[in-house]
Amino acid sequence: MAKRTLSGRARACANIALAKYWGKSDIPLNLPAVPSLSLTLDKLVTDTRVTFDEQLPADEVFLDETLQTGKASARVVELLDRVRKKAGLAAYARVQSKNNFPTAAGLASSASGFAALAAAANVAAGLPYDEKRVSAWARQSSASAARSVYGGFVELKAGRPGQKSLSARPIAPADHWDVRLLVAITAQGPKKVGSTLGMEHSRETSPLYQAWVEQSTAMFNRVKRGVLRRDLEMVGRAMEQSTFSFHACAMASDPGILYWQPPTIAALHTVRALREDKGIAAYATMDAGPHVKVLCEAKDAARIKRALLATEGVSEVLTARPGPAIRLG
Ligand code: PMV
């Protein structure tokens, strides 16, 4: 009998959380302990092809044309196993993935990466495309990836321990609000402590972890209300509080986790000075890395970009708009 190959391709955009996820309620099921809300970004894209091929002796994972081994490849294989199980497939797969931005530098590459992988594998396996299922598959690999399945403004609720399935949900489309998200690059190379490790270490050792979990829903609610009303000040203030709270929680771990570099702090002061001295509505957020992301109105983006580029240690500034859901094919 002829050997079968089945192929699928998907492109997913990264997302940046306006209300942050940090901490798991169930580690094996990878369920978040807090609700989060993100903006999908048009600028940072992962393009992934998955080919199930009966002639392959094992799964092969290429990222930017480099063969992945160890943990990076094992996380991909786990997701492929979930898809194979659902589709009743036995064949191994070749995964070819490309990012148009630096991988693992705190630019949410795992979010767009696992979302594109789940969608491409869904198509390659010959299953009907199901956003909710793809979001749940992606979430099991990287919770933030659940949100990259959708465009615009997306929420992911907290999961109860043992909860069978959890997907993200769009709350407003990309054209709901014409904001900009500027990404100020403050360091080169991959981050030192990955988010999975960082949040586990925070849960185990940070005296601020419980307070973070208790307060996160209120911050999430303020961000969500602000997004629905297109109220930049409401979103911005809650977003900064969410960012500073989770970083404070991580910093208070034992030993402390410090993602910030000197240019991170300089960029944060630039944002404050724009707001306080020039009256420009600019608000900062950060992930598990040193880069500073700034949320603002479209009309202010060019001026804020200039100020960030003039900040010591900021090497580059990307400007992103609200981006689309996953695109197939
Ligand atoms: O989904 P993960 O494991 O990559 O964790 C993402 C955590 C943060 O980026 C810090 C916050 C978030 O909600 O995206």
Side-chain angles (χ1 to χ4, degrees):
M1 204 174 84
K3 299 279 184 194
R4 282 195 310 155
T5 62
L6 298 161
S7 174
R9 179 184 172 208
R11 276 161 297 154
C13 299
N15 72 76
I16 295 295
L18 311 180
K20 298 295 179 186
Y21 147 61
W22 192 253
K24 300 179 199 292
S25 62
D26 186 316
I27 296 171
L29 295 178
N30 203 37
L31 292 162
V34 301
S36 59
L37 195 156
S38 62
L39 173 61
T40 300
L41 305 178
D42 68 339
K43 207 49 182 285
L44 311 174
V45 183
T46 302
D47 187 337
T48 299
R49 177 174 289 283
V50 173
T51 308
F52 289 106
D53 183 342
E54 288 178 347
Q55 286 183 316
L56 284 173
D59 290 318
E60 282 177 3
V61 181
F62 293 89
L63 177 56
D64 295 326
E65 279 155 28
T66 306
L67 183 67
Q68 304 292 299
T69 54
K71 232 169 93 189
S73 133
R75 284 180 78 189
V76 171
V77 170
E78 277 172 27
L79 196 154
L80 293 171
D81 284 341
R82 290 197 277 278
V83 179
R84 276 190 282 253
K85 190 169 168 208
K86 179 75 190 170
L89 267 178
Y92 289 115
R94 177 176 302 111
V95 175
Q96 291 153 296
S97 194
K98 277 194 178 121
N99 286 333
N100 72 346
F101 59 94
T103 302
L107 288 183
S109 58
S110 70
S112 53
F114 284 110
L117 174 68
N122 178 139
V123 174
L127 296 167
Y129 183 67
D130 176 342
E131 277 182 333
K132 264 181 92 171
R133 188 174 57 208
V134 167
S135 176
W137 275 337
R139 192 263 309 146
Q140 281 171 270
S141 298
S142 168
S144 59
R147 303 184 309 234
S148 272
V149 172
Y150 301 98
F153 300 84
V154 184
E155 70 177 10
L156 178 65
K157 292 275 168 66
R160 291 182 311 279
Q163 188 170 334
K164 282 279 165 298
S165 185
L166 179 71
S167 321
R169 193 179 78 91
I171 64 153
D175 63 5
H176 164 72
W177 195 12
D178 193 25
V179 285
R180 294 291 178 273
L181 202 288
L182 308 183
V183 182
I185 308 291
T186 55
Q188 305 301 325
K191 59 193 173 194
K192 295 205 171 55
V193 183
S195 47
T196 299
L197 230 94
M199 60 182 84
E200 267 320 285
H201 184 61
S202 302
R203 189 177 65 82
E204 282 164 0
T205 68
S206 176
L208 303 188
Y209 182 77
Q210 212 39 49
W212 153 251
V213 171
E214 280 164 22
Q215 297 304 317
S216 62
T217 301
M219 292 182 248
F220 164 86
N221 286 337
R222 279 162 59 211
V223 168
K224 183 170 175 178
R225 210 173 312 130
V227 165
L228 294 175
R229 292 181 189 170
R230 301 184 193 89
D231 181 335
L232 186 57
E233 187 184 348
M234 182 182 276
V235 174
R237 285 175 59 169
M239 179 182 86
E240 284 198 352
Q241 197 181 20
S242 173
T243 289
F244 288 142
S245 299
F246 106 73
H247 276 277
C249 167
M251 282 180 201
S253 302
D254 180 20
I257 304 168
L258 183 60
Y259 289 112
W260 303 13
Q261 295 293 333
T264 311
I265 298 165
L268 289 173
H269 282 291
T270 296
V271 172
R272 288 228 154 176
L274 283 168
R275 213 158 64 214
E276 288 167 9
D277 305 341
K278 309 261 191 264
I280 296 175
Y283 295 89
T285 182
M286 281 162 296
D287 292 289
H291 310 304
V292 176
K293 292 117 189 187
V294 182
L295 184 70
C296 65
E297 287 179 15
K299 69 173 175 53
D300 295 324
R303 193 156 169 210
I304 297 168
K305 179 174 177 172
R306 278 198 300 277
L308 287 168
L309 280 172
T311 303
E312 173 105 44
V314 172
S315 56
E316 200 187 331
V317 176
L318 312 171
T319 305
R321 299 167 184 244
I326 280 186
R327 286 152 295 166
L328 302 175

